[in-house]
Amino acid sequence: MIWLSWRQQRTETLITAAIVVLLAALLIPEGLHLASLYHRDNIAHCLNNKTPACHQAIGDFGGHAGILRTLVPWFTLLPGLIGGALAAPILLDLESGTFRLAWTQSITRRRWITTRFSVAVATSLAAGALLAIIFTWYRAPLDKVYGSFDATSFDLEGTVSLGYVLFALGLALAIGVAWRRTAPAVVTAFLAYVASRLFVDGWLRQRFETPLSATWSVRERGPNLDRAWVLWSGMSDRAGHPFSGGFDVLDRCARAVGSGSKLVNPTCLARHGAGYSHAIWQPASRYWDFQGIETALFAGVGLVLLAFAAWWLRYRTA
Amino acid sequence: MSAVLETEGLGKRYGSFWALRDCSLEIAAGSVTALVGPNGAGKTTLLHLAVGLSEPSAGEVRVLGASPQSDAADVLPRIGFVAQEHPLYRGFTVAETLRLGRDLNPSWNDDAARARIEALGLPLRKKVGALSGGQRAQVALTLALAKRPELLLLDEPVASLDPLARREFLQSVMEAVAETGMTVILSSHLIADLERVCDHLVILAGGRTQLAGPIDEIMGAHRLLTGPRSEAAEVARVHDVVRQSHTERQTTLLVRANGHVYDSRWELHELDLEEIVLAYLGRDAALEREAVAS
Amino acid sequence: MIEFHLDPRSGVPTYLQVVQQVRQAVRLGILRPGDQLPTVKEVVAALAINPNTVLKAYRELDHEGLTEGRRGQGTFIATTAPVVPPDGIGPVRTALQRWLRQARAAGLDDDAIEALLAETVRTGSSARAA
């Protein structure tokens, strides 16, 4: 039964492998490039020395992500594609009626379901893990500077990919075993995957734990927001209410102090309701907590969906 | 002889539609039974219930003394099934298809399977999708036979085959029966295919069993009577009239005789199996029309 | 070895056709005492019929005494079966062929010839019985 499960998903396993290889082909050269730049410009040193030169160096370094910067957000769809692809062989088997061949040999229906699903799950998890490993390696230099918490890296590093692929696989199987038409089911599952991801990425994730917030006057240093996930930052009044005016207030409260630079009067800003800075953020220390919560969330729902699909096949299919 | 397949009041419902109803049958070991009926009569439903692909909505089915659904691990290795259209994985080669059989069946006889494929002249490396319809049917049959089943169930096995492929397929089945004495049930909506290979008959129509029994007996009991119209009621009192047609003065009755027909005013004719089957199917259709009209 | 053929439209049950063909073959000297009949498997392979049908035919022939089964070897024409003298049929066949040429020359078609033959056989048998 194990041989049969692999043989039946042979094409889709190859497609998944191709996706992983393609990702590696894109990211490995780029990753090597970034790593060498990191060493060349001694960025590590600059992380602890906030001189203007270092500021410049870090800024330049960040700009070297190149073309991948536009592609990277799309990589987060890959687990959705992989989950859908690996559900397809099982769904096609059901749609075409060939499952009746396997179900009338000598093995029980339960064993067929368990083995087919296990092989699909194993392949998905392996692919998810490989994607995470490749991406984490690629982003290592950037992570040292910016942390892993922002949207373009949180989605692809750590353990969340495992949750995403399980979720995508579960969605495709759950919808497909009830609908019995593979193509629309897989497409619908993918759209549901995208919608769920957008929801969690854009709204739910920041609420996993209550974010920290602080208000400080422009004269003070403020909290350390290095590598944190900053949800909001900007000018505010003393109570922390965001300043709604434009940057022209800076001109109004500024005084020229020779050779082109200006000095801004904090008291004047305060009178306009803008003398403070306010930030809302999730500290970097919470990174693994959040990874855990999001992984558990998607993996949990994915497992429930898989269980539903297994139950449906076992008891509802003729 | 023990019963290899027994059903009692077996029924299957989809929503409010009963695909099979009140089916009570006994199939004896060693028999070759034709399961005949029009499309939608319930033949596939019955076969799927017998192999555990679906669950009864009413009544019971027992195969080799056990339940095909709850005792699947015991029953499945002992029965062979070829579903309608001979489902196979088109992308697999013939060799991979045999491997499927070997992997999934503990009682698989690989040498016999390979010998059979070789005798049929089928190349092992060829993809199943590239084979002809007749060849695919033979591969599907090989899968079912190589596990040495005690009961072989075939759902419309020759429906989509050309006459030569049809003959070769039935020949293969009969050779296997001669060799192992296994029981066979084959369904079809054409009786002509099955007359020479089957010794028992079950007629299904409208989800119900219309007639069941050994073909010899059926042929012996059914007669065509032609005689005076006025006497038709007399005959109907003694024998089961399956079909009747009248002209002004003459009546033709197709009866299942209870005992001998003595009356000299009636001319007796023997019938061939196809006519008997058609009469029963026609009777069911007439009842349907009456039911719909009322 | 005899080769069976089946006429599905004759109205005669399959097993009976097999029985009749064996009887006929013995009558015409095609099968002699000691000759082996095809095995059940061979007949099934050739005709694609139910093995039970073949078994039934062979049982009937055994019952009639026309054949005997030898354990482990198959079914054979019984040594007590009527033997047609090898020269017996030849002259009759030649005479019949001559008569056929005569009948055709007289303008009789195949149907008329068969009808004439059947009637003559019938009246001839009853005349013999009388």
Side-chain angles (χ1 to χ4, degrees):
Chain A
M1 189 59 224
I2 294 197
W3 171 81
L4 182 62
S5 303
W6 282 112
R7 177 60 185 84
Q8 281 193 267
Q9 64 167 55
R10 193 171 69 178
T11 309
E12 289 77 10
T13 307
L14 288 173
I15 292 174
T16 304
I19 290 175
V20 172
V21 165
L22 193 64
L23 194 75
L26 278 174
L27 292 179
I28 287 178
E30 199 49 44
L32 291 169
H33 178 60
L34 278 175
S36 74
L37 280 179
Y38 188 84
H39 286 296
R40 188 197 70 184
D41 297 348
N42 203 358
I43 304 294
H45 169 80
C46 275
L47 289 176
N48 297 315
N49 295 307
K50 292 297 162 72
T51 63
C54 268
H55 223 71
Q56 185 67 30
I58 289 178
D60 286 343
F61 175 71
H64 279 114
I67 197 175
L68 287 182
R69 198 184 258 141
T70 44
L71 285 180
V72 159
W74 293 98
F75 291 168
T76 196
L77 295 178
L78 291 177
L81 290 176
I82 290 171
L86 290 170
I90 298 175
L91 298 181
L92 286 170
D93 212 354
L94 294 169
E95 188 180 2
S96 66
T98 49
F99 72 98
R100 294 196 183 97
L101 178 61
W103 287 19
T104 51
Q105 297 303 304
S106 298
I107 57 164
T108 59
R109 203 186 281 199
R110 185 157 155 233
R111 182 139 158 240
W112 185 89
I113 293 169
T114 313
T115 316
R116 289 300 300 268
F117 277 33
S118 301
V119 170
V121 166
T123 316
S124 307
L125 290 178
L130 283 172
L131 288 179
I133 290 170
I134 293 171
F135 193 81
T136 307
W137 173 86
Y138 151 78
R139 251 207 71 120
L142 289 167
D143 281 350
K144 291 200 185 79
V145 177
Y146 301 106
S148 323
F149 226 142
D150 73 284
T152 53
S153 68
F154 186 89
D155 288 3
L156 291 157
E157 295 185 32
T159 56
V160 283
S161 302
L162 301 175
Y164 298 158
V165 290
L166 270 182
F167 176 64
L169 182 67
L171 267 177
L173 284 174
I175 295 175
V177 298
W179 194 341
R180 292 303 188 91
R181 293 184 56 217
T182 309
V186 168
V187 168
T188 308
F190 183 71
L191 293 174
Y193 169 82
V194 170
S196 313
R197 289 292 317 282
L198 285 173
F199 170 68
V200 171
D201 262 30
W203 191 87
L204 190 61
R205 186 186 295 159
Q206 61 202 114
R207 290 169 172 77
F208 283 170
E209 289 181 41
T210 315
L212 302 178
S213 60
T215 317
W216 65 101
S217 94
V218 293
R219 276 186 279 250
E220 294 169 321
R221 249 193 113 182
N224 183 357
L225 296 180
D226 281 352
R227 293 179 278 286
W229 180 18
V230 179
L231 298 171
W232 192 92
S233 84
M235 289 196 283
S236 73
D237 68 12
R238 195 195 202 154
H241 300 125
F243 174 68
S244 44
F247 282 110
D248 53 305
V249 69
L250 289 172
D251 292 330
R252 250 178 274 141
C253 292
R255 231 180 340 121
V257 265
S259 68
S261 44
K262 291 188 167 153
L263 192 62
V264 180
N265 182 350
T267 325
C268 166
L269 283 177
R271 250 186 292 125
H272 285 92
Y276 294 82
S277 293
H278 183 74
I280 307 174
W281 76 100
Q282 300 285 2
S285 57
R286 289 186 183 174
Y287 173 75
W288 282 108
D289 281 352
F290 274 48
Q291 278 276 328
I293 294 171
E294 186 148 336
T295 307
L297 175 66
F298 279 99
V301 174
L303 289 172
V304 166
L305 290 168
L306 285 171
F308 168 78
W311 171 85
W312 185 283
L313 279 180
R314 180 111 191 264
Y315 295 105
R316 299 269 345 245
T317 301
Chain B
M1 278 209 284
S2 51
V4 150
L5 171 71
E6 283 178 271
T7 69
E8 205 180 299
L10 185 63
K12 177 71 187 172
R13 183 174 58 164
Y14 294 103
S16 60
F17 169 67
W18 284 90
L20 188 69
R21 216 164 178 176
D22 277 336
C23 178
S24 299
L25 290 174
E26 244 183 70
I27 306 287
S31 61
V32 180
T33 303
L35 183 61
V36 173
N39 293 319
K43 307 190 293 294
T44 300
T45 308
L46 175 57
L47 290 173
H48 283 195
L49 286 164
V51 297
L53 278 177
S54 62
E55 205 180 43
S57 312
E60 224 198 333
V61 55
R62 299 195 73 72
V63 176
L64 299 167
S67 159
Q69 261 227 328
S70 40
D71 303 323
D74 295 324
V75 174
L76 284 177
R78 299 161 71 192
I79 62 181
F81 178 59
V82 180
Q84 223 168 353
E85 307 286 338
H86 328 113
L88 290 170
Y89 295 113
R90 300 286 179 111
F92 280 29
T93 61
V94 175
E96 285 173 322
T97 308
L98 291 185
R99 174 142 187 210
L100 186 166
R102 197 174 74 227
D103 268 16
L104 263 47
N105 294 297
S107 57
W108 179 263
N109 184 340
D110 203 46
D111 295 325
R114 282 175 182 275
R116 191 155 189 281
I117 294 289
E118 217 181 286
L120 290 164
L122 297 175
L124 283 173
R125 287 187 186 282
K126 202 158 183 191
K127 292 228 169 177
V128 166
L131 297 174
S132 71
Q135 290 174 319
R136 274 200 295 277
Q138 289 284 8
V139 172
L141 183 62
T142 306
L143 274 183
L145 289 178
K147 61 202 262 212
R148 316 237 121 234
E150 292 167 50
L151 169 65
L152 182 66
L153 301 129
L154 306 168
D155 195 353
E156 307 239 10
V158 296
S160 52
L161 303 182
D162 64 75
L164 182 60
R166 212 174 277 192
R167 170 68 82 93
E168 285 174 346
F169 186 91
L170 291 174
Q171 191 178 303
S172 296
V173 176
M174 287 299 104
E175 282 176 340
V177 172
E179 229 179 288
T180 63
M182 69 181 168
T183 314
V184 180
I185 302 177
L186 10 93
S187 79
S188 174
H189 56 275
L190 298 167
I191 185 62
D193 290 336
L194 309 184
E195 237 183 298
R196 60 205 276 155
V197 302
C198 299
D199 45 46
H200 284 71
L201 174 67
V202 173
I203 303 180
L204 273 189
R208 289 181 191 275
T209 329
Q210 305 292 327
L211 182 66
I215 290 185
D216 288 350
E217 263 178 48
I218 291 175
M219 303 279 289
H222 286 80
R223 292 283 180 271
L224 194 70
L225 302 172
T226 48
R229 182 157 179 180
S230 46
E231 307 300 320
E234 284 276 331
V235 176
R237 234 171 285 151
V238 184
H239 306 289
D240 294 321
V241 175
V242 182
R243 186 186 65 201
Q244 52 187 299
S245 56
H246 310 278
T247 60
E248 213 178 272
R249 281 190 230 114
Q250 191 195 46
T251 290
T252 306
L253 300 170
L254 198 156
V255 301
R256 183 181 188 168
N258 292 318
H260 221 64
V261 183
Y262 287 109
D263 201 321
S264 57
R265 280 170 298 180
W266 291 90
E267 244 181 75
L268 250 70
H269 305 275
E270 286 185 6
L271 293 152
D272 69 33
L273 198 56
E274 185 152 16
E275 275 193 70
I276 298 174
V277 171
L278 286 172
Y280 276 91
L281 295 181
R283 178 174 79 169
D284 174 75
L287 286 171
E288 279 263 330
R289 282 195 294 273
E290 270 176 42
V292 169
S294 62
Chain C
M1 191 63 110
I2 185 175
E3 242 181 62
F4 296 113
H5 59 272
L6 206 58
D7 184 357
R9 262 170 284 277
S10 69
V12 179
T14 310
Y15 90 95
L16 208 52
Q17 290 186 40
V18 172
V19 169
Q20 285 173 351
Q21 285 174 37
V22 172
R23 281 196 206 128
Q24 195 83 318
V26 170
R27 273 192 213 113
L28 293 176
I30 298 171
L31 282 176
R32 295 154 181 282
D35 281 349
Q36 186 178 19
L37 289 181
T39 63
V40 174
K41 257 202 103 174
E42 284 165 348
V43 179
V44 163
L47 295 181
I49 57 173
N50 192 321
N52 294 326
T53 311
V54 184
L55 285 169
K56 192 170 179 183
Y58 282 19
R59 266 199 303 271
E60 177 73 26
L61 288 164
D62 191 86
H63 187 74
E64 277 178 22
L66 202 55
T67 61
E68 60 198 10
R70 284 183 217 160
R71 223 357 83 96
Q73 291 183 357
T75 313
F76 296 79
I77 301 294
T79 43
T80 52
V83 183
V84 179
D87 308 319
I89 290 203
V92 180
R93 192 193 293 267
T94 319
L96 189 59
Q97 282 163 342
R98 212 183 307 128
W99 177 86
L100 265 178
R101 284 196 290 273
Q102 237 184 317
R104 292 225 171 83
L108 292 163
D109 66 8
D110 284 355
D111 283 341
I113 291 172
E114 281 183 33
L116 178 58
L117 203 54
E119 201 214 312
T120 314
V121 167
R122 199 173 50 234
T123 51
S125 313
S126 53
R128 239 188 318 129

